[in-house]
Amino acid sequence: VKQVVEILLPNALNHGFDYVAAQPLPLGAIVSVPFGKGETLGVVWGEGKANLPPGKLKPINIHHDQFPPLSEAFRSFISWAAWYNAAASGAILKMVLPISEIDKTGRVQLHTAVDISQLQLAPLSQAQEQAAQHMNNGIGKGFAVTLLDGVTGSGKTEVYFDTIAHALKKDPGNQVLVLLPEIGLSVQFLARFEKRFGFAPVVWHSEITPAKKRASWQAIARGEARVVVGARSALFLPYKQLSLIVVDEEHDASYKQEDGIIYHARDMAVARGRMEKLPVVLVSATPSLESYHNARQQRYHELSLPVRHNEASMPTIHMIDMRKALIEKQSFISRPLREQLANAIAKGQQTMLFLNRRGYAPLMLCRVCGHRFQCPDCSAWLVLHKSRPRLECHHCNYFIPVPSACPSCGAEDSLHACGPGVERLFDEVKEFLPTARVAVMASDSMTSYRELQDTIDAMGRGEVDVLIGTQMMAKGHHFAGLAVVGVVDADLGLAGGDLRAAERTYQLLHQLSGRAGREVVQGHVFLQSFLPEHPVMAALLSGDREAFMQAELTARQHAHMPPFSRLAAIIIEGEKEDSVAKTARAFAGSPVVVGSKQVELYGPAPAPLFMLRGKFRYRLLLKAGRNVNLQALLAQWMEAVKPPSSVRVKLDIDPQSFL
Ligand SMILES: [Zn+2]
Ligand SMILES: [Zn+2]
């Protein structure tokens, strides 16, 4: 009996196409169908509309029945994720089916065998044991979100390792997904996992080779991959029998995907758990305000691990008031911080300097005429990189060699580097600590994971005295000999007026502090700040996180900002400034929002990054109560405005970036 079915394809469309199946196929079956001049994968999504005569329809080529069909709950999640993020279902399906030849077996062999008897879990403290028990009891009991909130070094990982082991033991089919913010940086994590479990998890991120990606996808879909450790895209894979999702460092901003389909992987993880009836564990030492609020509202169950494991104590935080501190001319590390570094090194301890700026200097200008080097395609200064050496745009691929004369006035030797980047700190440290062993850890000095791992290993072996780095250094690394952390510009993240500026700065500085004194030595953290009275600095100094979170929450409530309301950003981009501006005004003037009691509209305004990769950009921000159907309203709005094809309109639900 021939059957007409709707096949959803991995493309940018919200609907499928009709095909003829030679025999009945289950909903969710993965198939190959002819499309255009070639062939594509697709999923049986429903009954066909049958509005074409069967003779006109193309047949399904292959039913890939060695992979189980996508479950109803997972298909609902795909549709829901498309609706929530104002994206096409086909675009979400593209993340579910990110490979093309799914049957092909390649040379890559994954070792997915799991021997439960090989587990060597760490002994847990009483507090850890209690937390693990609670999470273990949740396996197989349906949807629940747990916020595992524990200070850095409290052993959160060992707690959820216990729960992963429990899930694996409970049912030989159970699979577990662990999301990490930046999987490339997780070498230490993977080593630790292997040590405890006796096998390596299947790893999923954008840097794995196509052959490995295919083998991993197949193992995940067939249920052979029992534990998957992945970046945000791993959330959309077709697990055969997912039993638990862990989102580690749940507060991390990199869970928000900002290109292509804009979505927040943590929020999608919670949604997938809800729809597939699974427990979700969110893990952090500095939870996002949203998760903190959800725990306070008892939507999430909160488990706290308040003390450091192994009796290591929390580091002491010190403030260096940069309005008063002595500092050499043309330098960025104050005298008091220099002394702390020198003393620690003299004692054989390791130190770290943090500055969230790559390169040598964020700006170069001419001292004669004031010319500033700017990217021709972006609203951004060119950053001086001395190691290359060149001036680079950090938003696109533009760069120029460092000129010897000013291109504007022709003056020779007039160019001046303004402000510090990590390369400049390196020079400065080498000058006042000439014998110290200094290393830099920034995403551009680490061209490969190998190099990154080498630096981490060297630090671990005690072969580095001063490690200088950007925020990649704040994430989860464990350095036993680290005693002093210096934050060169603690105020940096507070500039810019971002909704989450204070929260993010607090999280970053707190995480950084957590790197110090994780073992026997007492850690000390020195914050160089021009705003020592700022609530963020005060909270760090007093160690009173609760007071800080409460104050932030109250401020958000007064401003009627998330999590007390919802935001959606509309970003309009195009090569012609007038059509971009005109479209932005059309959005603002649309009857869908004008006079609406449901929403407040901000803008249109030129975006802070007014020009990006040669495109002009305008932004609008919509704020609505939590009871408003924001997605329906956005769809109605897009329909009313009908933006011209010369501009691109991006919708960002729950925006994290306001650039
Ligand atoms: Zn000049
Ligand atoms: Zn640029």
Side-chain angles (χ1 to χ4, degrees), residues 366 369 371 406 409:
C366 169
C369 74
H371 174 80
C406 172
C409 70

Side-chain angles (χ1 to χ4, degrees), residues 18 287 408 463 536 633:
D18 280 3
S408 182
E463 291 163 10
V536 170
L633 192 125

Side-chain angles (χ1 to χ4, degrees), residues 136-168:
N136 295 357
N137 289 339
I139 301 292
K141 304 265 173 61
F143 172 63
V145 184
T146 302
L147 176 62
L148 181 58
D149 175 359
V151 298
T152 49
S154 62
K156 299 181 289 295
T157 312
E158 301 298 348
V159 172
Y160 74 70
F161 274 5
D162 197 84
T163 303
I164 293 173
H166 184 81
L168 298 179

Side-chain angles (χ1 to χ4, degrees), residues 489-511:
D489 185 352
D491 314 327
L492 191 58
L494 293 172
D498 185 317
L499 167 67
R500 293 180 180 81
E503 184 191 345
R504 290 244 183 278
T505 302
Y506 181 82
Q507 286 163 347
L508 179 67
L509 297 181
H510 186 94
Q511 293 276 342

